[in-house]
Amino acid sequence: MKDLQFRRHRRLRQSASVRSMVKETHLHKEDFIYPIFVTEGTNEKNEVASMPNVFQWSLDLVDKEVEEVVALGIPAIIVFGVPNSKDDVGSSAFHDQGIVQKAIRQIKGNHPDLTVIADTCLCQFTDHGHCGIIEEGKVLNDRTLDLLAKTAVSQAEAGADIIAPSNMMDGFVAAIRYGLDNAGFSDIPIMSYAVKYSSAFYGPFRDAAHSSPKFGDRKTYQMDPANRLEALREAESDMEEGADFLIVKPALSYLDVIREVKDFSGFPVVAYNVSGEYSMVKAASQNGWINEKEIVLEKLTSMKRAGADLILTYHAKDAVRWLQEDN
């Protein structure tokens, strides 16, 4: 045995102090974007049944949630709306008194330094639950682009700092960039859901946002989970059309895609740690099967290690508290 030659990798693991010195990937509170669901009505704080500790907030109560986010030092939120009324074109998505527009005005008025991102889609606002105009059972790509641009402009007019279109229509970034620029919002960035897979991990979100399609599915416009090269083509299109950030959604099952998009693009990449990923951890934790803190910080670190610059996650508040405890 004395003649064996091998490397002593364990030398750098001997103590917490040494492990900290050589740690390659770090999580910071500035990495996180926290999702908030806003709903019509008053005195509404409705816990999402499939997402423990995630709520729909009416505007008279939402400031409590926002104040907690700000106090923790989380730099950004993304706003999702749950409207009272829906129609076949999702008109409340682009109405100046829509729930998202009202929420943005209120939140920015009370917290001007908080970065407020607007999710830009139609599915929560259409009575059929799809992300565009329907004709003979099909989602019409080009006619939908006009409505997406109108929605983005109305959100920018309300005070949104970043527009985040999530609909996966071809040309949606180009249409929104054109609409924003012509409305005088050329400085508003676009955080594009560039790589959005048709995923089973979205189920709890549809519970939260009341956005399940009433017929069919979204496989004709969201990506096939089996495809990798297609993700690069989608990202390249959005880069050419004027995107400023690229979202990969979901995150945990697509860490390879996050890495490839980051290496390919050089753009700021956002990992969306989606609802199903959140709810599985919560359910296992509530059953005592896992250590929630360790699991969450490990999976968020994996997203950062894979190349994500930012992480959109429902765990953000807890993660910041745990990071503060460890420091």
Side-chain angles (χ1 to χ4, degrees):
M1 295 295 287
K2 65 181 180 179
D3 296 325
L4 288 178
Q5 299 291 322
F6 53 87
R7 297 181 181 180
R8 298 280 182 180
H9 298 289
R10 290 182 59 192
R11 289 173 181 151
L12 301 183
R13 303 173 192 154
Q14 293 302 305
S15 69
S17 175
V18 172
R19 291 193 296 271
S20 176
M21 290 170 63
V22 298
K23 182 179 290 189
E24 299 175 24
T25 305
H26 297 267
L27 288 172
H28 305 284
K29 62 186 178 182
E30 292 82 8
D31 297 332
F32 300 130
I33 300 167
Y34 185 65
I36 291 181
F37 297 93
V38 291
T39 188
E40 307 279 4
T42 57
N43 200 33
E44 297 285 343
K45 181 186 177 183
N46 307 318
E47 187 170 23
V48 179
S50 56
M51 299 180 71
N53 297 329
V54 173
F55 299 87
Q56 300 169 339
W57 299 89
S58 55
L59 295 184
D60 58 315
L61 298 182
V62 73
D63 281 327
K64 295 179 182 178
E65 177 81 327
V66 176
E67 286 165 6
E68 184 178 3
V69 170
V70 171
L72 287 168
I74 297 169
I77 62 170
I78 185 167
V79 178
F80 297 96
V82 184
N84 271 347
S85 61
K86 303 186 179 191
D87 58 30
D88 59 347
V89 296
S91 59
S92 59
F94 47 83
H95 195 284
D96 65 352
Q97 291 300 311
I99 183 61
V100 170
Q101 287 78 2
K102 289 191 290 187
I104 292 169
R105 281 192 291 268
Q106 177 176 312
I107 293 168
K108 285 300 293 183
N110 293 330
H111 302 280
D113 294 330
L114 179 68
T115 295
V116 176
I117 305 166
D119 178 77
T120 306
C121 198
L122 303 177
C123 59
Q124 299 104 292
F125 305 94
T126 56
D127 52 17
H128 46 73
H130 280 283
C131 302
I133 296 174
I134 298 293
E135 188 173 283
E136 297 181 354
K138 295 182 178 180
V139 179
L140 301 183
N141 192 94
D142 294 10
R143 284 178 57 190
T144 297
L145 297 180
D146 291 335
L147 300 186
L148 295 171
K150 286 179 65 175
T151 300
V153 170
S154 72
Q155 293 168 339
E157 289 174 341
D161 299 292
I162 298 174
I163 298 299
S166 59
N167 55 90
M168 288 298 285
M169 297 295 110
D170 290 337
F172 70 107
V173 174
I176 288 171
R177 184 74 273 161
Y178 180 86
L180 290 171
D181 290 353
N182 278 275
F185 296 107
S186 59
D187 291 333
I188 297 292
I190 295 175
M191 182 181 284
S192 170
Y193 287 67
V195 180
K196 182 177 181 180
Y197 287 90
S198 180
S199 172
F201 284 102
Y202 301 153
F205 175 90
R206 293 172 183 173
D207 190 17
H210 300 172
S211 62
S212 297
K214 295 297 187 292
F215 65 90
D217 53 41
R218 295 178 178 146
K219 293 181 180 179
T220 64
Y221 46 102
Q222 295 179 358
M223 288 177 52
D224 185 335
N227 291 354
R228 176 180 64 86
L229 296 178
E230 184 184 7
L232 302 183
R233 296 196 297 271
E234 286 280 3
E236 184 176 31
S237 293
D238 288 10
M239 293 160 61
E240 292 172 349
E241 292 173 19
D244 301 282
F245 304 79
L246 303 174
I247 297 176
V248 177
K249 178 183 181 183
L252 196 58
S253 291
Y254 300 87
L255 297 177
D256 60 323
V257 177
I258 292 172
R259 168 50 59 195
E260 292 211 52
V261 170
K262 182 61 181 179
D263 290 347
F264 171 76
S265 70
F267 274 41
V269 171
V270 184
Y272 195 151
N273 177 209
V274 299
S275 59
E277 297 167 352
Y278 171 88
S279 295
M280 289 191 303
V281 170
K282 282 292 186 182
S285 174
Q286 288 178 349
N287 278 284
W289 297 337
I290 60 169
N291 181 311
E292 182 178 358
K293 172 184 175 180
E294 291 184 1
I295 287 282
V296 169
L297 293 181
E298 181 177 341
K299 75 172 184 174
L300 296 178
T301 299
S302 76
M303 297 167 199
K304 190 87 181 287
R305 189 186 65 242
D309 300 281
L310 299 167
I311 303 171
L312 204 163
T313 178
Y314 305 94
H315 294 293
K317 294 190 299 181
D318 287 337
V320 170
R321 292 190 186 100
W322 291 326
L323 292 171
Q324 291 171 343
E325 289 173 5
D326 290 345
N327 294 328

